[in-house]
Amino acid sequence: MRYKNILLHLFFIGTIISSNPKVALVLSGGAAKGYAHIPVLEMIDSLNIDVDLIVGTSIGANVGALYSVGYTSNQIYEHAFKTNWKAIFLEKSERKNMSYFHKKNNSRYQIKFNLNGFKPKIPTGAIHGQRAYMELSEILGQYEYINDFDNLAIPFKCNATDLISGEDILLEDGSLIMAIRSSVSIPSVFAPVDYDEYLLVDGGVKNNIPVNLAKKYNPDIIITSTVASKPTKKQIKSSVVGVLEESIFIHSSDLTKSNLENSDYVISTKIPEGTSAIFTKKSMNSIYRAGKKAVYDNIDMFLDIQKQFKSDKPKKSLKTLDELNLKVTNINIYGNKKFDKNFIQNGLGIYRSDTLKLNKIHNGINNLYGLGYFNKISYKIKPNENLTSSDIDILIEESSFNKLQTGLKWDNFHELIAAINIRTNDLFFPGLLINNEFQFPGIRKNSLEITYPGRFSVFHLYPFLKNEYLSKKINWYNANGEKTAIYNYKTIKNKIGAGVIIGKNCGIEVALQNERAYLNPEIENNDVIDYDNLETNSTILNIDYDSRDDALLTKNGTLIKLDFENSTYNHDKFQMINFDFDIYKTVLKNTIRFNTIYRSIGYGAPIHNYIYQGKIDRTVGYAPFSLNSNKLYMAGVEWIYHYKEMHYKIFYNQIFDLENEQESSYIRENQSCYGLGVTFTSPFGPIELIWGYGPIKHLTNDKRHTVFSIDVGYKF
């Protein structure tokens, strides 16, 4: 019996030794500096060095995971430079994936807070990390069915830091995407990852060069690539990421020193002075070149490794998720509180017996996330042993329906305008959504909207009740183009109706409206019209189509607004039609925009309906409020050239028809306006500077002038 136990013991030890990796590659963290690891992989590929284990942290985990599933060093390089890092760090979702309601609210405010009751709730990170998760899924999702990281093309491990225990957590099985998402979760930038019993942040917080984790597997040699070189004060101060990176890694210096001493070979990349750790192409190119230099400075070391561990055998190839054609057995949904499972599954669009494809998963998640109801959505694939079928788990975190949103903008019409919006849900009964927005001081506008969008249904049919109060000053012009009055203008509108959403781009509303209007001149004048509490009742149809890729800096898409009103005022009836059309098309760095405005207001309508400022980007060059009219038809074309963060444009607009019945005026000839502009981005939104050259008087082209306009901020 004792003899058998000894044999069994020796067999067990022999099994462990035979499975020990010969070459372990350790990749450190370091934000964008981690792309200095790519030249290390290039050299390993070119010398056919056989790597048996990869251990990475933070950005090193990202690079290492790609290499472990079979990406070449060249493919990793291409991925690094084509990734939209700005969108990741701004948590910027693609607008095409947003629901109609989400689109309308998404680009209106600079600052957003969840509310706990009526108090702002401070988030655990600047962003939830959904865009980062989906980027990882795009490149790693085809291998998400592999739940044991030892079964990847190259066995892989990574680490993250548990905020609860403060321990360094080794991640070697489960969801590969979520493991990488945890390891790269920079504190204060990304919200911590709820992973099993842990609450995980960046692995570099505790262990930025995880050689000690690699040593647990008893490799023959450990090659360590580190980019955690000592930065200069200028480098640290160059970005928020740089400050956070150094502050979270600074206390792990003793472990870092020990890990470097326990490495057999170390490639330490010295980042050039003036190069920051942020993810810009300029910085990443500089980092890549620095990594290349470090590799060739250590070429003798690589040649020495090649002598010992060169292998001509082909690398292990993995089947992709799409190639397996797994049949869905069960869809399990976790984390839902307000939304029932049928709503989520219908939004996801994946059902039992479906064939599991990565694109189908992404489309479903983007569709759900685009509703604006969720902070995070992730998935787990749990295949059977034969890889013929699989369960899929959907893990969600619902967003707060109670939000405080604020914004600022500046325009030439009203100068500074601030907006504060409060959105509440379930205040009186489940499903009731209340929005109230107040704008000041350039104008006074309060918009209250109460809707019941039927969130437990996939059909977007909703009743609504709306109230709008608007107060502002306007200029009035006579037939000679002379300003004759400054009005204090006020309206109070109440609407009740219903709307329907068609797809993600189109909304239609039908409503009954009661309006009370006040039009009072600042200086009493018997020659101008004024009135108080003038009542108009209307039946309204609004059609809105919006397929733009970006509401602030559009490159492709269409925006169409069509409004019909049948109104009764003082027993007289009149009709109003407003049509606004914009289409954008971009080829390479050039965008062409065509726009049209058509307004027709029936004779006898109260003159406050004639008031029309137009949009600044179409009317610069014309005097403000000179387009007040009951009939207006104008169109324009615009060419925009995009260069880095700057956008240069040339535009031409023309008025074909303008009529003001009240002043018995109409244009005698087509009136043109043209000019140029430049737009650049800022934390407050786009800043647009426009110079327009147009007629001084709105009814004639005899004299012209140059008008400068500035438009800053979001478009609420």
Side-chain angles (χ1 to χ4, degrees):
M1 183 69 180
R2 183 180 178 185
Y3 176 72
K4 288 183 179 179
N5 285 339
I6 291 172
L7 286 177
L8 185 61
H9 184 65
L10 290 173
F11 174 77
F12 179 69
I13 293 174
T15 302
I16 295 176
I17 293 173
S18 65
S19 63
N20 285 345
K22 295 179 181 179
V23 178
L25 176 64
V26 176
L27 305 176
S28 76
K33 292 186 291 185
Y35 286 114
H37 296 315
I38 296 176
V40 175
L41 300 178
E42 290 174 345
M43 184 58 71
I44 287 172
D45 282 344
S46 67
L47 297 178
N48 291 324
I49 296 172
D50 193 15
V51 175
D52 303 284
L53 172 68
I54 297 178
V55 181
T57 190
S58 195
I59 192 67
N62 189 350
V63 173
L66 291 174
Y67 196 66
S68 291
V69 300
Y71 282 87
T72 66
S73 53
N74 287 336
Q75 289 172 325
I76 297 172
Y77 175 89
E78 290 172 3
H79 162 70
F81 282 87
K82 76 177 182 181
T83 299
N84 188 342
W85 295 105
K86 183 178 179 180
I88 289 175
F89 284 104
L90 292 177
E91 193 83 299
K92 190 174 181 181
S93 300
E94 291 190 53
R95 203 165 184 267
K96 67 179 182 180
N97 295 322
M98 295 180 186
S99 70
Y100 177 82
F101 281 127
H102 194 189
K103 282 181 181 180
K104 294 303 169 188
N105 190 61
N106 184 62
S107 298
R108 291 177 64 83
Y109 310 103
Q110 289 100 333
I111 302 173
K112 304 174 185 178
F113 288 103
N114 290 333
L115 293 176
N116 184 7
F118 287 96
K119 296 180 180 179
K121 182 179 177 182
I122 305 301
T124 56
I127 56 177
H128 294 288
Q130 181 66 21
R131 180 64 186 265
Y133 176 85
M134 292 305 293
E135 286 287 341
L136 289 170
S137 186
E138 287 285 348
I139 54 177
L140 293 172
Q142 292 290 359
Y143 311 100
E144 184 69 0
Y145 70 92
I146 301 173
N147 298 143
D148 185 345
F149 303 167
D150 281 339
N151 294 328
L152 298 176
I154 301 173
F156 170 76
K157 320 289 176 183
C158 67
N159 68 320
T161 305
D162 181 23
L163 284 180
I164 298 172
S165 66
E167 295 299 316
D168 185 21
I169 305 301
L170 178 65
L171 303 173
E172 54 186 344
D173 55 31
S175 167
L176 179 62
I177 299 169
M178 195 56 74
I180 307 306
R181 168 67 183 85
S182 302
S183 191
V184 301
S185 187
I186 303 172
S188 301
V189 176
F190 294 106
V193 175
D194 192 348
Y195 191 97
D196 295 333
E197 69 269 29
Y198 307 118
L199 193 61
L200 300 179
V201 295
D202 197 295
V205 172
K206 186 76 176 180
N207 188 359
N208 196 43
I209 308 176
V211 172
N212 59 318
L213 301 182
K215 283 189 74 69
K216 292 181 179 181
Y217 300 94
N218 300 312
D220 290 346
I221 66 165
I222 297 176
I223 307 170
T224 299
S225 174
T226 174
V227 294
S229 54
K230 186 177 180 180
T232 64
K233 183 189 290 187
K234 183 178 180 181
Q235 286 173 299
I236 295 174
K237 292 172 65 178
S238 64
S239 72
V240 173
V241 174
V243 173
L244 287 170
E245 179 194 359
E246 298 307 323
S247 64
I248 65 177
F249 295 161
I250 193 169
H251 73 278
S252 63
S253 57
D254 289 341
L255 180 58
T256 295
K257 182 179 178 181
S258 171
N259 279 333
L260 290 175
E261 289 173 350
N262 285 314
S263 302
D264 297 286
Y265 299 93
V266 177
I267 306 97
S268 182
T269 300
K270 184 178 180 181
I271 304 300
E273 185 174 348
T275 302
S276 66
I278 59 176
F279 292 84
T280 63
K281 288 186 177 180
K282 180 180 178 181
S283 290
M284 289 166 64
N285 269 316
S286 180
I287 290 164
Y288 174 78
R289 290 193 298 269
K292 200 88 167 176
K293 181 180 184 301
V295 166
Y296 280 95
D297 285 347
N298 290 277
I299 189 64
D300 291 339
M301 181 191 75
F302 283 100
L303 293 173
D304 183 50
I305 298 170
Q306 184 196 36
K307 290 177 184 178
Q308 304 173 63
F309 301 103
K310 181 179 179 180
S311 174
D312 294 322
K313 66 179 182 182
K315 292 184 178 179
K316 179 181 175 182
S317 178
L318 300 174
K319 280 193 172 183
T320 65
L321 175 66
D322 289 351
E323 290 172 337
L324 293 175
N325 292 315
L326 296 174
K327 295 295 181 182
V328 177
T329 49
N330 293 293
I331 300 100
N332 305 307
I333 298 169
Y334 302 98
N336 57 308
K337 297 176 182 177
K338 294 185 177 181
F339 296 94
D340 64 23
K341 292 184 177 181
N342 287 333
F343 174 89
I344 295 170
Q345 186 171 346
N346 288 334
L348 189 67
I350 298 176
Y351 303 93
R352 294 183 65 179
S353 299
D354 283 356
T355 300
L356 206 54
K357 300 290 184 181
L358 185 62
N359 190 55
K360 189 175 183 69
I361 296 172
H362 287 169
N363 287 341
I365 289 178
N366 287 332
N367 185 52
L368 279 174
Y369 187 72
L371 296 173
Y373 298 156
F374 306 99
N375 292 329
K376 293 182 282 190
I377 306 173
S378 60
Y379 66 96
K380 288 183 181 178
I381 297 173
K382 297 180 175 179
N384 63 2
E385 291 184 3
N386 299 325
L387 296 180
T388 57
S389 62
S390 177
D391 288 358
I392 180 169
D393 293 350
I394 303 298
L395 301 92
I396 67 171
E397 179 185 300
E398 296 174 353
S399 64
S400 171
F401 281 88
N402 300 328
K403 294 184 181 293
L404 172 66
Q405 302 164 311
T406 64
L408 285 170
K409 72 175 181 179
W410 176 284
D411 66 41
N412 273 27
F413 290 144
H414 307 296
E415 298 184 343
L416 181 66
I417 304 177
I420 298 175
N421 183 65
I422 295 178
R423 188 181 81 173
T424 64
N425 190 259
D426 300 341
L427 185 61
F428 298 111
F429 58 86
L432 188 70
L433 185 63
I434 302 174
N435 273 292
N436 193 88
E437 180 188 82
F438 179 56
Q439 296 182 22
F440 65 99
I443 62 174
R444 297 287 191 277
K445 183 178 181 181
N446 191 83
S447 302
L448 172 66
E449 182 176 354
I450 303 173
T451 62
Y452 186 73
R455 67 184 186 208
F456 295 105
S457 169
V458 294
F459 300 104
H460 293 280
L461 178 66
Y462 59 95
F464 63 82
L465 178 66
K466 298 181 182 181
N467 169 270
E468 179 185 278
Y469 170 87
L470 173 64
S471 176
K472 62 181 180 180
K473 294 183 184 294
I474 65 163
N475 299 329
W476 189 262
Y477 293 82
N478 63 17
N480 296 319
E482 300 165 338
K483 184 166 67 175
T484 56
I486 300 175
Y487 279 111
N488 292 312
Y489 165 57
K490 181 171 70 174
T491 59
I492 302 171
K493 297 179 181 179
N494 292 290
K495 283 185 186 179
I496 185 169
V500 62
I501 306 303
I502 303 173
K504 295 181 178 180
N505 299 328
C506 185
I508 301 173
E509 291 186 347
V510 178
L512 299 175
Q513 175 178 281
N514 174 267
E515 176 192 71
R516 294 184 181 273
Y518 303 79
L519 195 66
N520 307 117
E522 284 197 337
I523 301 175
E524 292 294 333
N525 187 339
N526 294 329
D527 296 328
V528 299
I529 294 175
D530 69 296
Y531 46 76
D532 289 300
N533 200 25
L534 188 150
E535 184 176 8
T536 304
N537 294 300
S538 307
T539 303
I540 299 174
L541 171 66
N542 303 122
I543 301 174
D544 182 32
Y545 178 85
D546 185 356
S547 66
R548 294 173 296 168
D549 58 354
D550 191 314
L552 300 177
L553 293 168
T554 308
K555 291 186 177 180
N556 290 289
T558 302
L559 177 65
I560 301 172
K561 292 180 178 292
L562 184 58
D563 303 324
F564 294 95
E565 292 188 28
N566 280 317
S567 302
T568 302
Y569 150 66
N570 197 23
H571 304 294
D572 293 326
K573 297 183 182 298
F574 63 92
Q575 288 186 333
M576 293 194 293
I577 300 174
N578 288 287
F579 176 70
D580 195 338
F581 173 82
D582 260 310
I583 186 168
Y584 301 80
K585 181 64 179 178
T586 296
V587 179
L588 299 177
K589 295 182 179 181
N590 302 276
T591 298
I592 298 296
R593 172 193 181 192
F594 296 97
N595 60 77
T596 297
I597 296 171
Y598 175 78
R599 285 166 40 88
S600 177
I601 300 170
Y603 295 117
I607 68 165
H608 70 272
N609 293 289
Y610 292 19
I611 297 168
Y612 184 70
Q613 295 169 269
K615 297 179 180 179
I616 287 180
D617 60 349
R618 302 190 200 178
T619 59
V620 171
Y622 301 109
F625 295 101
S626 65
L627 302 181
N628 292 344
S629 57
N630 61 294
K631 285 189 177 180
L632 173 66
Y633 172 45
M634 63 183 298
V637 62
E638 193 173 287
W639 170 69
I640 308 165
Y641 178 73
H642 309 280
Y643 179 71
K644 295 183 178 180
E645 297 298 315
M646 306 291 285
H647 312 271
Y648 305 93
K649 72 176 181 180
I650 299 173
F651 63 89
Y652 178 87
N653 296 312
Q654 183 159 303
I655 297 176
F656 298 97
D657 186 16
L658 186 149
E659 181 178 332
N660 187 326
E661 177 212 5
Q662 180 63 35
E663 297 292 340
S664 300
S665 63
Y666 56 91
I667 62 170
R668 299 180 177 85
E669 55 186 285
N670 294 344
Q671 294 203 12
S672 62
C673 170
Y674 49 87
L676 52 86
V678 60
T679 303
F680 51 95
T681 57
S682 77
F684 302 101
I687 298 177
E688 188 170 19
L689 309 177
I690 312 174
W691 291 263
Y693 185 65
I696 293 177
K697 295 184 178 181
H698 68 300
L699 298 179
T700 175
N701 279 317
D702 293 344
K703 294 183 179 180
R704 304 177 73 85
H705 63 164
T706 300
V707 177
F708 170 72
S709 174
I710 182 170
D711 193 15
V712 180
Y714 284 23
K715 310 301 180 185
F716 48 79

